[in-house]
Structures are given as C-alpha cells and as structure tokens.
Amino acid sequence: DPLRPLVLGGDHSISYPVVRAVSEKLGGPVDILHLDAHPDIYDAFEGNVYSHASSFARIMEGGYARRLLQVGLRSINIEGREQGKRFGVEQYEMRTFSRDRHFLENLKLGEGVKGVYISIDVDCLDPAFAPGVSHFEPGGLSFRDVLNILHNLQGDIVAADVVEFNPQRDTVDGMTAMVAAKLVRELAAKISK
C-alpha cells in the first residue's frame, strides 16, 4: 500500500475495469487525464457497451471519475460531443491546441478526490511519431507535447495505463515500441514521485 498500478494494453477497453478497481480500492472517484485521438465515450460501439470505444462512458456512468479531461482529440463526432456534454467532460481538440497549450501544460488535478489516473492511448501522438497503432489520425500531439503535459502535471498519480500500441503496424525499426516504452518510463517516474 498504496498500490499504484501502471497497466499496459491491449486496447482501451482495459481502462474501465482498471479505473473502477482503483476507485473502489481508494474509496472514491479520481480525476482522469485521458490523452487520445478519440474520445472513447460511445454509449455502445457496434453494439458492445464494453468496447474500447465505450470505456469512458462506463467510467463516467459509474461515478468513478469526477473530472475527465480528454486531450489530443481529432476524430470526434456528434455522439462523442453529446456524450461529453452529458458527462461534463472537458474535451480538448487538436484544432485548438495552440490556444489551450498553456492550460494543458499547467494542469493541477486530484484535489478533493482520491488522486489522478492517467490514460495514454498511443494514437494521441501524431502518426509521424507513432505509426504503430490501429486507428491513426494525422494532426496529433508531438512527443514533446505529451512530455510537457505529463512533466508539469500537479497531482497525486494513483494509477495509469498505456494502450493501443499495435506492433503489426509499427515500422521495421520499432519506432512506436520505443515511443510507447518511453511513455511507460515517464509515467513510472511520475507515479513514483
């Protein structure tokens, strides 16, 4: 104690059971920083309420998070925006990142709740930095953008995940694997502080 899990995916369907377990173990909700190209907040995706594209709907419905900040979005539709409004999600799209950068690089989360959970979908990064993902979207965050957000985040990090690395789509030199490993290292360092 305290257990501070750092979970490696798989797809984003792992986040719901992990966040639920962390919240239940700690006895209350957490704040979530979710870095992703997609909001993963469908009520059900292709009829599956536990899909990788529905995990954050389940988290918010269950009351496992007080605040959910989604950063790096660039593939969001009407349902994603409506679900975001329904659950009070703070959605930061890449089209406004230059305007939001100062705020996002100076986040203070977790006060009044049980801590901060960080979820990183590797496709939050532009495919130039991480092509080895299943659902890449051009126009994403740079690796330095992600590091700036993580390094400057103030809050008690209680758990995290890194998901959606797909080795079958990586470059021959394993560039995305290296990037994902570096994200894991940075998160482990942040959690250990």
Side-chain angles (χ1 to χ4, degrees), residues 10 27 37 40 73 76 89 99 101 105-106 126 131 152 163-164 172 176-177 184 188:
D40 293 349
L73 301 176
I76 183 170
V89 178
R99 180 190 72 200
R101 177 187 295 275
E105 290 182 353
N106 293 282
D126 189 273
N152 296 327
V163 299
E164 299 282 358
V172 291
T176 311
V184 169

Side-chain angles (χ1 to χ4, degrees), residues 95-110:
R95 62 189 177 92
T96 60
F97 184 74
S98 60
R99 180 190 72 200
D100 301 327
R101 177 187 295 275
H102 180 74
F103 171 73
L104 296 171
E105 290 182 353
N106 293 282
L107 292 172
K108 190 170 187 178
L109 299 173

Side-chain angles (χ1 to χ4, degrees), residues 30-76:
V30 294
D31 285 345
I32 299 176
L33 174 60
H34 169 209
L35 303 173
D36 201 329
H38 315 90
D40 293 349
I41 201 163
Y42 283 102
D43 183 55
F45 184 71
E46 296 179 345
N48 183 358
V49 297
Y50 297 108
S51 160
H52 66 96
S54 301
S55 51
F56 289 93
R58 303 293 79 80
I59 288 166
M60 299 309 286
E61 281 174 353
Y64 303 116
R66 175 190 63 179
R67 279 178 84 185
L68 171 57
L69 287 78
Q70 298 184 318
V71 179
L73 301 176
R74 54 201 184 276
S75 180
I76 183 170

Side-chain angles (χ1 to χ4, degrees), residues 23-188:
S23 174
E24 289 174 353
K25 170 75 174 164
L26 296 176
V30 294
D31 285 345
I32 299 176
L33 174 60
H34 169 209
L35 303 173
D36 201 329
H38 315 90
D40 293 349
I41 201 163
Y42 283 102
D43 183 55
F45 184 71
E46 296 179 345
N48 183 358
V49 297
Y50 297 108
S51 160
H52 66 96
S54 301
S55 51
F56 289 93
R58 303 293 79 80
I59 288 166
M60 299 309 286
E61 281 174 353
Y64 303 116
R66 175 190 63 179
R67 279 178 84 185
L68 171 57
L69 287 78
Q70 298 184 318
V71 179
L73 301 176
R74 54 201 184 276
S75 180
I76 183 170
N77 60 18
I78 291 169
E79 183 178 353
R81 287 189 177 90
E82 287 174 353
Q83 286 281 91
K85 287 178 188 159
R86 173 182 170 204
F87 294 119
V89 178
E90 299 166 54
Q91 294 178 323
Y92 297 94
E93 297 183 46
M94 284 308 297
R95 62 189 177 92
T96 60
F97 184 74
S98 60
R99 180 190 72 200
D100 301 327
R101 177 187 295 275
H102 180 74
F103 171 73
L104 296 171
E105 290 182 353
N106 293 282
L107 292 172
K108 190 170 187 178
L109 299 173
E111 287 186 348
V113 291
K114 299 298 180 177
V116 181
Y117 186 99
I118 300 173
S119 182
I120 301 179
D121 184 321
V122 178
D123 73 22
C124 72
L125 294 162
D126 189 273
F129 301 95
V133 297
S134 295
H135 309 285
F136 49 79
E137 299 284 344
L141 296 163
S142 74
F143 191 78
R144 177 52 52 196
D145 295 332
V146 172
L147 287 185
N148 289 345
I149 291 167
L150 292 178
H151 288 169
N152 296 327
L153 172 64
Q154 294 179 47
D156 181 25
I157 313 303
V158 295
D161 64 51
V162 177
V163 299
E164 299 282 358
F165 165 55
N166 183 343
Q168 293 176 329
R169 298 190 78 173
D170 204 0
T171 56
V172 291
D173 62 356
M175 180 171 74
T176 311
M178 184 274 301
V179 167
K182 176 92 172 175
L183 289 171
V184 169
R185 186 188 84 170
E186 294 297 321
L187 281 171

